[in-house]
């Protein structure tokens, strides 16, 4: 694994800053402060200096639910979901990307807050349906949906299936027709734009597994074929350009190219497709160095871009949908760990080992992601020390927070919290080293409850049938 891997994969390594991360440049002025940018809304410290969320202290949570644990601020989740919903209003649709983190409680909150849901596997579909999400509010994604998954989705009546290949166009049409149905579909295209953080790359081609390339007329050919099939109702074009994006200019190029395709479709087939989905990937603050945009700013920018492009092409503005995952759930949770060992390495840094690691947060090892960390069970006035927070796995790449500062008197038994772990941590968690996956504890208005329980050794042994 390349040490400079980028969140989007090794080919983007060149857009990362050189050397040590910004987080290690200098300690924050007050190590006890909790930057509201990276912590959920209700997080603070009580009179004793203990971190609290939703009115409950982390020491209480640790005592009741153990560590490590993902602690999710339900009010914050609902606030963010509602902010997205309100920002886009009634003329657009917000689909929460379930892969960021999905559980039945989350599905209910989304339903109650008026959001739709993206799923990309039979398991995610089953979770969504079992928690009562209306099928017509579910979109089914993926580059290799099995025939069984497609059939389940069509039978359930999902609102849209996002088609990802020529073979899938025929497959879904065939399955829908054999069930006597006409399935609403979008066609996912790749527009030659990849956006990450503050950079984007616009090219003619995209070398990736998702979608059908706009280049070479392939996307137009896909639409041509789909329009001819009785089992399909083609409702729009889908484009998803990247992850952890702060800069809107990548969306601008993508929208321009998608609208160009809509225009070609109109000119060739006399059909104006009514929807355009611009995907997700909107960035959040993992550390104080990140400056994400508010949902209303993003909604305004995207709506303006699409409207402008459509006016230029003399098309009626299609209904827009977006698919934020991380931007809703990412900041709502932190991971609570107990410190096990503190190992100073002279002239280098201090290694702080916690009771979880790459099994509950693979993003640091996988993407070189940056996180911050705070001493949560108390405050301290001790001098800052440069630390690396590592897990308990048999793997030297088992790093949770690569560079950060914690108080110099940190000791075994202290609780530390890593914020902004709501997205792609529990959902990517593994059993490496037969370490048990932590629970997700939701906190709201002074009450805590487990929404995903801690894995047990029994769970492990149940799968191992000898
Ligand atoms: C992953 C994904 C998203 C969500 O990405 P975030 O970075 O969590 O916002 C949305 N749409 C599609 C198609 C995706 O693959």
């Amino acid at each position: 694994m390349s040490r400079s891997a980028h969140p989007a994969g090794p080919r983007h390594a060149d857009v990362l800053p050189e050397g040590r991360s910004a987080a290690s440049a200098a300690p924050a002025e007050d190590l006890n402060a909790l930057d509201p940018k990276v912590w959920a809304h209700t997080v603070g410290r009580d009179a004793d200096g203990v971190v609290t969320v939703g009115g409950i202290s982390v020491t209480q949570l640790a005592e009741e639910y153990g560590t490590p644990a993902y602690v999710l601020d339900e009010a914050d989740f609902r606030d963010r979901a509602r902010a997205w919903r309100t920002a886009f209003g009634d003329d657009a649709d917000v689909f929460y990307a379930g892969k960021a983190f999905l559980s039945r409680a989350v599905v209910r909150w989304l339903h109650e807050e008026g959001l739709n849901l993206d799923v990309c596997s039979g398991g995610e579909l089953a979770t969504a349906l079992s928690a009562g999400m209306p099928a017509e509010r579910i979109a089914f994604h993926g580059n290799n949906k099995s025939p069984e998954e497609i059939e389940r989705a069509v039978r359930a009546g999902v609102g849209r299936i996002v088609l990802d290949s020529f073979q899938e166009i025929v497959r879904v049409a065939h399955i829908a027709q054999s069930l006597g149905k006409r399935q609403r579909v979008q066609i996912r295209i790749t527009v030659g734009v990849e956006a990450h953080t503050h950079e984007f790359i616009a090219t003619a081609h995209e070398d990736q597994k998702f979608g059908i390339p706009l280049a070479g007329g392939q996307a137009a050919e896909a639409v041509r074929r789909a329009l001819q099939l009785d089992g399909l109702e083609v409702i729009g074009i889908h484009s998803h350009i990247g992850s952890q994006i702060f800069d809107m200019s990548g969306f601008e190029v993508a929208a321009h190219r998608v609208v160009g395709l809509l225009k070609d479709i109109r000119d060739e087939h006399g059909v104006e497709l009514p929807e355009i989905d611009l995907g997700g990937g909107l960035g959040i603050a993992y550390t104080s160095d990140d400056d994400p945009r508010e949902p209303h700013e993003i909604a305004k920018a995207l709506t303006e871009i699409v409207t402008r492009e459509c006016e230029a092409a003399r098309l009626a503005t299609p209904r827009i949908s977006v698919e934020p995952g991380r931007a809703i759930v990412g900041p709502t949770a932190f991971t609570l760990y107990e410190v096990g060992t503190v190992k100073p390495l002279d002239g280098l840094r201090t290694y702080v080992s916690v009771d979880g690691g790459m099994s509950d947060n693979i993003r640091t090892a996988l993407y070189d992601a940056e996180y911050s960390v705070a001493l949560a069970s108390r405050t301290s006035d001790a001098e800052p020390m440069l630390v690396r927070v590592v897990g308990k796995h048999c793997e030297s790449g088992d790093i949770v927070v690569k560079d950060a500062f914690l108080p110099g008197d940190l000791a075994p038994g202290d609780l530390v919290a890593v914020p902004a772990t709501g997205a792609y941590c529990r959902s990517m968690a593994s059993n490496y080293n037969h370490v048990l996956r932590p629970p997700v504890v939701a906190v709201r208005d002074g009450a805590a409850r487990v929404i995903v329980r801690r894995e047990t050794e029994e769970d492990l042994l149940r799968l191992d049938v000898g």
Side-chain angles (χ1 to χ4, degrees), residues 360-389:
D360 59 69
N361 186 350
I362 191 65
R363 291 191 68 258
T364 306
L366 192 58
Y367 305 129
D368 227 9
E370 288 189 10
Y371 284 93
S372 60
V373 60
L375 173 56
S377 47
R378 62 187 174 91
T379 52
S380 164
D381 295 326
E383 285 298 307
M385 62 174 174
L386 179 64
V387 301
R388 179 160 289 174
V389 179

PDB file of all heavy atoms in Angstrom, residues 360-389:
ATOM      1  N   ASP A 360     -12.154  -1.066  13.196  1.00  0.00           N
ATOM      2  CA  ASP A 360     -13.301  -0.164  13.326  1.00  0.00           C
ATOM      3  C   ASP A 360     -13.121   1.110  12.519  1.00  0.00           C
ATOM      4  O   ASP A 360     -14.067   1.874  12.339  1.00  0.00           O
ATOM      5  CB  ASP A 360     -13.600   0.169  14.794  1.00  0.00           C
ATOM      6  CG  ASP A 360     -12.433   0.840  15.506  1.00  0.00           C
ATOM      7  OD1 ASP A 360     -12.125   1.993  15.183  1.00  0.00           O
ATOM      8  OD2 ASP A 360     -11.818   0.196  16.393  1.00  0.00           O
ATOM      9  N   ASN A 361     -11.908   1.375  12.051  1.00  0.00           N
ATOM     10  CA  ASN A 361     -11.677   2.518  11.164  1.00  0.00           C
ATOM     11  C   ASN A 361     -10.549   2.177  10.204  1.00  0.00           C
ATOM     12  O   ASN A 361      -9.373   2.366  10.497  1.00  0.00           O
ATOM     13  CB  ASN A 361     -11.348   3.784  11.962  1.00  0.00           C
ATOM     14  CG  ASN A 361     -11.256   5.011  11.065  1.00  0.00           C
ATOM     15  OD1 ASN A 361     -11.248   4.889   9.831  1.00  0.00           O
ATOM     16  ND2 ASN A 361     -11.180   6.183  11.668  1.00  0.00           N
ATOM     17  N   ILE A 362     -10.927   1.727   9.019  1.00  0.00           N
ATOM     18  CA  ILE A 362      -9.931   1.320   8.019  1.00  0.00           C
ATOM     19  C   ILE A 362      -9.512   2.502   7.153  1.00  0.00           C
ATOM     20  O   ILE A 362      -8.591   2.404   6.347  1.00  0.00           O
ATOM     21  CB  ILE A 362     -10.527   0.175   7.141  1.00  0.00           C
ATOM     22  CG1 ILE A 362      -9.466  -0.497   6.256  1.00  0.00           C
ATOM     23  CG2 ILE A 362     -11.655   0.678   6.256  1.00  0.00           C
ATOM     24  CD1 ILE A 362      -8.398  -1.237   7.002  1.00  0.00           C
ATOM     25  N   ARG A 363     -10.172   3.633   7.311  1.00  0.00           N
ATOM     26  CA  ARG A 363      -9.968   4.730   6.358  1.00  0.00           C
ATOM     27  C   ARG A 363      -8.546   5.288   6.394  1.00  0.00           C
ATOM     28  O   ARG A 363      -8.008   5.700   5.384  1.00  0.00           O
ATOM     29  CB  ARG A 363     -10.993   5.841   6.579  1.00  0.00           C
ATOM     30  CG  ARG A 363     -12.412   5.417   6.201  1.00  0.00           C
ATOM     31  CD  ARG A 363     -13.361   6.594   6.167  1.00  0.00           C
ATOM     32  NE  ARG A 363     -13.073   7.510   5.094  1.00  0.00           N
ATOM     33  CZ  ARG A 363     -12.451   8.660   5.215  1.00  0.00           C
ATOM     34  NH1 ARG A 363     -12.049   9.088   6.403  1.00  0.00           N
ATOM     35  NH2 ARG A 363     -12.221   9.420   4.163  1.00  0.00           N
ATOM     36  N   THR A 364      -7.937   5.305   7.573  1.00  0.00           N
ATOM     37  CA  THR A 364      -6.588   5.849   7.673  1.00  0.00           C
ATOM     38  C   THR A 364      -5.614   4.955   6.909  1.00  0.00           C
ATOM     39  O   THR A 364      -4.801   5.439   6.117  1.00  0.00           O
ATOM     40  CB  THR A 364      -6.180   5.991   9.149  1.00  0.00           C
ATOM     41  OG1 THR A 364      -7.181   6.757   9.814  1.00  0.00           O
ATOM     42  CG2 THR A 364      -4.841   6.685   9.296  1.00  0.00           C
ATOM     43  N   ALA A 365      -5.737   3.625   7.119  1.00  0.00           N
ATOM     44  CA  ALA A 365      -4.849   2.697   6.421  1.00  0.00           C
ATOM     45  C   ALA A 365      -5.162   2.650   4.928  1.00  0.00           C
ATOM     46  O   ALA A 365      -4.261   2.574   4.099  1.00  0.00           O
ATOM     47  CB  ALA A 365      -4.984   1.307   7.028  1.00  0.00           C
ATOM     48  N   LEU A 366      -6.431   2.730   4.584  1.00  0.00           N
ATOM     49  CA  LEU A 366      -6.857   2.533   3.201  1.00  0.00           C
ATOM     50  C   LEU A 366      -6.654   3.779   2.341  1.00  0.00           C
ATOM     51  O   LEU A 366      -6.255   3.692   1.185  1.00  0.00           O
ATOM     52  CB  LEU A 366      -8.342   2.141   3.205  1.00  0.00           C
ATOM     53  CG  LEU A 366      -8.966   1.616   1.930  1.00  0.00           C
ATOM     54  CD1 LEU A 366      -8.248   0.385   1.418  1.00  0.00           C
ATOM     55  CD2 LEU A 366     -10.442   1.291   2.179  1.00  0.00           C
ATOM     56  N   TYR A 367      -6.955   4.928   2.908  1.00  0.00           N
ATOM     57  CA  TYR A 367      -6.955   6.165   2.113  1.00  0.00           C
ATOM     58  C   TYR A 367      -5.976   7.207   2.626  1.00  0.00           C
ATOM     59  O   TYR A 367      -5.981   8.329   2.130  1.00  0.00           O
ATOM     60  CB  TYR A 367      -8.334   6.825   2.152  1.00  0.00           C
ATOM     61  CG  TYR A 367      -9.507   5.991   1.732  1.00  0.00           C
ATOM     62  CD1 TYR A 367     -10.626   5.896   2.559  1.00  0.00           C
ATOM     63  CD2 TYR A 367      -9.535   5.342   0.508  1.00  0.00           C
ATOM     64  CE1 TYR A 367     -11.740   5.174   2.183  1.00  0.00           C
ATOM     65  CE2 TYR A 367     -10.651   4.623   0.126  1.00  0.00           C
ATOM     66  CZ  TYR A 367     -11.737   4.529   0.957  1.00  0.00           C
ATOM     67  OH  TYR A 367     -12.845   3.827   0.591  1.00  0.00           O
ATOM     68  N   ASP A 368      -5.204   6.873   3.659  1.00  0.00           N
ATOM     69  CA  ASP A 368      -4.370   7.885   4.274  1.00  0.00           C
ATOM     70  C   ASP A 368      -5.230   9.032   4.821  1.00  0.00           C
ATOM     71  O   ASP A 368      -4.837  10.199   4.791  1.00  0.00           O
ATOM     72  CB  ASP A 368      -3.356   8.443   3.270  1.00  0.00           C
ATOM     73  CG  ASP A 368      -1.958   8.511   3.858  1.00  0.00           C
ATOM     74  OD1 ASP A 368      -1.765   7.969   4.958  1.00  0.00           O
ATOM     75  OD2 ASP A 368      -1.076   9.109   3.223  1.00  0.00           O
ATOM     76  N   ALA A 369      -6.421   8.700   5.285  1.00  0.00           N
ATOM     77  CA  ALA A 369      -7.356   9.724   5.763  1.00  0.00           C
ATOM     78  C   ALA A 369      -6.815  10.388   7.024  1.00  0.00           C
ATOM     79  O   ALA A 369      -6.076   9.778   7.792  1.00  0.00           O
ATOM     80  CB  ALA A 369      -8.708   9.087   6.069  1.00  0.00           C
ATOM     81  N   GLU A 370      -7.191  11.638   7.220  1.00  0.00           N
ATOM     82  CA  GLU A 370      -6.764  12.359   8.416  1.00  0.00           C
ATOM     83  C   GLU A 370      -7.903  12.465   9.406  1.00  0.00           C
ATOM     84  O   GLU A 370      -9.049  12.703   9.029  1.00  0.00           O
ATOM     85  CB  GLU A 370      -6.290  13.762   8.038  1.00  0.00           C
ATOM     86  CG  GLU A 370      -4.967  13.722   7.319  1.00  0.00           C
ATOM     87  CD  GLU A 370      -4.377  15.106   7.134  1.00  0.00           C
ATOM     88  OE1 GLU A 370      -4.895  16.070   7.718  1.00  0.00           O
ATOM     89  OE2 GLU A 370      -3.391  15.192   6.389  1.00  0.00           O
ATOM     90  N   TYR A 371      -7.565  12.283  10.659  1.00  0.00           N
ATOM     91  CA  TYR A 371      -8.536  12.458  11.745  1.00  0.00           C
ATOM     92  C   TYR A 371      -7.892  13.285  12.836  1.00  0.00           C
ATOM     93  O   TYR A 371      -6.669  13.448  12.870  1.00  0.00           O
ATOM     94  CB  TYR A 371      -8.947  11.092  12.324  1.00  0.00           C
ATOM     95  CG  TYR A 371      -9.906  10.322  11.441  1.00  0.00           C
ATOM     96  CD1 TYR A 371      -9.435   9.394  10.520  1.00  0.00           C
ATOM     97  CD2 TYR A 371     -11.267  10.537  11.524  1.00  0.00           C
ATOM     98  CE1 TYR A 371     -10.311   8.704   9.696  1.00  0.00           C
ATOM     99  CE2 TYR A 371     -12.153   9.847  10.704  1.00  0.00           C
ATOM    100  CZ  TYR A 371     -11.679   8.938   9.801  1.00  0.00           C
ATOM    101  OH  TYR A 371     -12.544   8.265   8.988  1.00  0.00           O
ATOM    102  N   SER A 372      -8.730  13.780  13.737  1.00  0.00           N
ATOM    103  CA  SER A 372      -8.202  14.409  14.934  1.00  0.00           C
ATOM    104  C   SER A 372      -8.620  13.550  16.131  1.00  0.00           C
ATOM    105  O   SER A 372      -9.355  12.570  15.971  1.00  0.00           O
ATOM    106  CB  SER A 372      -8.724  15.841  15.076  1.00  0.00           C
ATOM    107  OG  SER A 372     -10.131  15.830  15.169  1.00  0.00           O
ATOM    108  N   VAL A 373      -8.139  13.918  17.304  1.00  0.00           N
ATOM    109  CA  VAL A 373      -8.434  13.126  18.500  1.00  0.00           C
ATOM    110  C   VAL A 373      -8.401  14.053  19.711  1.00  0.00           C
ATOM    111  O   VAL A 373      -7.657  15.034  19.711  1.00  0.00           O
ATOM    112  CB  VAL A 373      -7.412  11.963  18.656  1.00  0.00           C
ATOM    113  CG1 VAL A 373      -5.986  12.503  18.770  1.00  0.00           C
ATOM    114  CG2 VAL A 373      -7.739  11.068  19.850  1.00  0.00           C
ATOM    115  N   ALA A 374      -9.221  13.736  20.698  1.00  0.00           N
ATOM    116  CA  ALA A 374      -9.215  14.543  21.929  1.00  0.00           C
ATOM    117  C   ALA A 374      -9.253  13.630  23.142  1.00  0.00           C
ATOM    118  O   ALA A 374      -9.874  12.560  23.114  1.00  0.00           O
ATOM    119  CB  ALA A 374     -10.423  15.477  21.952  1.00  0.00           C
ATOM    120  N   LEU A 375      -8.589  14.093  24.205  1.00  0.00           N
ATOM    121  CA  LEU A 375      -8.742  13.436  25.506  1.00  0.00           C
ATOM    122  C   LEU A 375     -10.165  13.740  25.963  1.00  0.00           C
ATOM    123  O   LEU A 375     -10.569  14.908  26.018  1.00  0.00           O
ATOM    124  CB  LEU A 375      -7.707  14.010  26.486  1.00  0.00           C
ATOM    125  CG  LEU A 375      -7.814  13.566  27.943  1.00  0.00           C
ATOM    126  CD1 LEU A 375      -7.762  12.051  28.087  1.00  0.00           C
ATOM    127  CD2 LEU A 375      -6.693  14.211  28.768  1.00  0.00           C
ATOM    128  N   ALA A 376     -10.947  12.688  26.243  1.00  0.00           N
ATOM    129  CA  ALA A 376     -12.386  12.880  26.439  1.00  0.00           C
ATOM    130  C   ALA A 376     -12.840  12.717  27.892  1.00  0.00           C
ATOM    131  O   ALA A 376     -13.841  13.284  28.296  1.00  0.00           O
ATOM    132  CB  ALA A 376     -13.165  11.908  25.558  1.00  0.00           C
ATOM    133  N   SER A 377     -12.095  11.953  28.698  1.00  0.00           N
ATOM    134  CA  SER A 377     -12.580  11.663  30.052  1.00  0.00           C
ATOM    135  C   SER A 377     -12.152  12.720  31.074  1.00  0.00           C
ATOM    136  O   SER A 377     -12.533  12.643  32.243  1.00  0.00           O
ATOM    137  CB  SER A 377     -12.086  10.285  30.498  1.00  0.00           C
ATOM    138  OG  SER A 377     -10.714  10.131  30.226  1.00  0.00           O
ATOM    139  N   ARG A 378     -11.362  13.682  30.632  1.00  0.00           N
ATOM    140  CA  ARG A 378     -10.935  14.773  31.524  1.00  0.00           C
ATOM    141  C   ARG A 378     -10.280  15.844  30.677  1.00  0.00           C
ATOM    142  O   ARG A 378      -9.995  15.611  29.497  1.00  0.00           O
ATOM    143  CB  ARG A 378      -9.935  14.273  32.588  1.00  0.00           C
ATOM    144  CG  ARG A 378      -8.654  13.720  31.994  1.00  0.00           C
ATOM    145  CD  ARG A 378      -7.753  13.079  33.062  1.00  0.00           C
ATOM    146  NE  ARG A 378      -6.595  12.436  32.430  1.00  0.00           N
ATOM    147  CZ  ARG A 378      -5.419  13.021  32.189  1.00  0.00           C
ATOM    148  NH1 ARG A 378      -5.215  14.284  32.555  1.00  0.00           N
ATOM    149  NH2 ARG A 378      -4.439  12.388  31.598  1.00  0.00           N
ATOM    150  N   THR A 379     -10.031  16.977  31.266  1.00  0.00           N
ATOM    151  CA  THR A 379      -9.197  17.972  30.599  1.00  0.00           C
ATOM    152  C   THR A 379      -7.793  17.865  31.192  1.00  0.00           C
ATOM    153  O   THR A 379      -7.583  17.175  32.193  1.00  0.00           O
ATOM    154  CB  THR A 379      -9.723  19.404  30.828  1.00  0.00           C
ATOM    155  OG1 THR A 379      -9.891  19.599  32.221  1.00  0.00           O
ATOM    156  CG2 THR A 379     -11.046  19.622  30.107  1.00  0.00           C
ATOM    157  N   SER A 380      -6.855  18.541  30.563  1.00  0.00           N
ATOM    158  CA  SER A 380      -5.487  18.512  31.076  1.00  0.00           C
ATOM    159  C   SER A 380      -4.775  19.785  30.663  1.00  0.00           C
ATOM    160  O   SER A 380      -5.009  20.310  29.580  1.00  0.00           O
ATOM    161  CB  SER A 380      -4.740  17.301  30.506  1.00  0.00           C
ATOM    162  OG  SER A 380      -3.348  17.458  30.703  1.00  0.00           O
ATOM    163  N   ASP A 381      -3.908  20.268  31.541  1.00  0.00           N
ATOM    164  CA  ASP A 381      -3.100  21.432  31.210  1.00  0.00           C
ATOM    165  C   ASP A 381      -1.664  21.039  30.877  1.00  0.00           C
ATOM    166  O   ASP A 381      -0.787  21.896  30.738  1.00  0.00           O
ATOM    167  CB  ASP A 381      -3.099  22.433  32.381  1.00  0.00           C
ATOM    168  CG  ASP A 381      -4.488  22.998  32.608  1.00  0.00           C
ATOM    169  OD1 ASP A 381      -5.222  23.174  31.605  1.00  0.00           O
ATOM    170  OD2 ASP A 381      -4.860  23.232  33.780  1.00  0.00           O
ATOM    171  N   ALA A 382      -1.422  19.741  30.771  1.00  0.00           N
ATOM    172  CA  ALA A 382      -0.060  19.271  30.475  1.00  0.00           C
ATOM    173  C   ALA A 382       0.372  19.749  29.088  1.00  0.00           C
ATOM    174  O   ALA A 382      -0.466  20.042  28.237  1.00  0.00           O
ATOM    175  CB  ALA A 382      -0.008  17.753  30.551  1.00  0.00           C
ATOM    176  N   GLU A 383       1.670  19.808  28.879  1.00  0.00           N
ATOM    177  CA  GLU A 383       2.228  20.202  27.578  1.00  0.00           C
ATOM    178  C   GLU A 383       1.754  19.237  26.490  1.00  0.00           C
ATOM    179  O   GLU A 383       1.640  18.030  26.744  1.00  0.00           O
ATOM    180  CB  GLU A 383       3.767  20.155  27.643  1.00  0.00           C
ATOM    181  CG  GLU A 383       4.381  21.300  28.407  1.00  0.00           C
ATOM    182  CD  GLU A 383       4.080  22.640  27.761  1.00  0.00           C
ATOM    183  OE1 GLU A 383       4.345  22.782  26.541  1.00  0.00           O
ATOM    184  OE2 GLU A 383       3.540  23.530  28.457  1.00  0.00           O
ATOM    185  N   PRO A 384       1.517  19.758  25.290  1.00  0.00           N
ATOM    186  CA  PRO A 384       1.115  18.867  24.184  1.00  0.00           C
ATOM    187  C   PRO A 384       2.240  17.912  23.796  1.00  0.00           C
ATOM    188  O   PRO A 384       3.411  18.278  23.853  1.00  0.00           O
ATOM    189  CB  PRO A 384       0.850  19.837  23.031  1.00  0.00           C
ATOM    190  CG  PRO A 384       0.806  21.199  23.620  1.00  0.00           C
ATOM    191  CD  PRO A 384       1.584  21.164  24.893  1.00  0.00           C
ATOM    192  N   MET A 385       1.863  16.682  23.437  1.00  0.00           N
ATOM    193  CA  MET A 385       2.866  15.776  22.861  1.00  0.00           C
ATOM    194  C   MET A 385       2.344  15.286  21.508  1.00  0.00           C
ATOM    195  O   MET A 385       1.144  15.085  21.322  1.00  0.00           O
ATOM    196  CB  MET A 385       3.158  14.597  23.796  1.00  0.00           C
ATOM    197  CG  MET A 385       1.980  13.695  24.077  1.00  0.00           C
ATOM    198  SD  MET A 385       2.504  12.249  25.054  1.00  0.00           S
ATOM    199  CE  MET A 385       0.926  11.470  25.402  1.00  0.00           C
ATOM    200  N   LEU A 386       3.295  15.117  20.581  1.00  0.00           N
ATOM    201  CA  LEU A 386       2.938  14.617  19.256  1.00  0.00           C
ATOM    202  C   LEU A 386       2.665  13.122  19.367  1.00  0.00           C
ATOM    203  O   LEU A 386       3.514  12.373  19.850  1.00  0.00           O
ATOM    204  CB  LEU A 386       4.081  14.881  18.267  1.00  0.00           C
ATOM    205  CG  LEU A 386       3.845  14.391  16.834  1.00  0.00           C
ATOM    206  CD1 LEU A 386       2.687  15.118  16.164  1.00  0.00           C
ATOM    207  CD2 LEU A 386       5.117  14.558  15.994  1.00  0.00           C
ATOM    208  N   VAL A 387       1.489  12.711  18.933  1.00  0.00           N
ATOM    209  CA  VAL A 387       1.132  11.292  19.065  1.00  0.00           C
ATOM    210  C   VAL A 387       0.715  10.701  17.728  1.00  0.00           C
ATOM    211  O   VAL A 387       0.351  11.406  16.781  1.00  0.00           O
ATOM    212  CB  VAL A 387      -0.035  11.080  20.067  1.00  0.00           C
ATOM    213  CG1 VAL A 387       0.318  11.596  21.445  1.00  0.00           C
ATOM    214  CG2 VAL A 387      -1.323  11.716  19.556  1.00  0.00           C
ATOM    215  N   ARG A 388       0.777   9.389  17.703  1.00  0.00           N
ATOM    216  CA  ARG A 388       0.120   8.608  16.667  1.00  0.00           C
ATOM    217  C   ARG A 388      -0.796   7.647  17.413  1.00  0.00           C
ATOM    218  O   ARG A 388      -0.328   6.896  18.284  1.00  0.00           O
ATOM    219  CB  ARG A 388       1.154   7.867  15.827  1.00  0.00           C
ATOM    220  CG  ARG A 388       0.562   7.000  14.736  1.00  0.00           C
ATOM    221  CD  ARG A 388       1.596   6.695  13.666  1.00  0.00           C
ATOM    222  NE  ARG A 388       1.888   7.891  12.874  1.00  0.00           N
ATOM    223  CZ  ARG A 388       2.842   7.946  11.940  1.00  0.00           C
ATOM    224  NH1 ARG A 388       3.599   6.874  11.704  1.00  0.00           N
ATOM    225  NH2 ARG A 388       3.045   9.050  11.270  1.00  0.00           N
ATOM    226  N   VAL A 389      -2.085   7.713  17.091  1.00  0.00           N
ATOM    227  CA  VAL A 389      -3.039   6.818  17.757  1.00  0.00           C
ATOM    228  C   VAL A 389      -3.142   5.548  16.926  1.00  0.00           C
ATOM    229  O   VAL A 389      -3.494   5.597  15.740  1.00  0.00           O
ATOM    230  CB  VAL A 389      -4.417   7.481  17.920  1.00  0.00           C
ATOM    231  CG1 VAL A 389      -5.392   6.527  18.598  1.00  0.00           C
ATOM    232  CG2 VAL A 389      -4.295   8.788  18.711  1.00  0.00           C
TER     233      VAL A 389
END
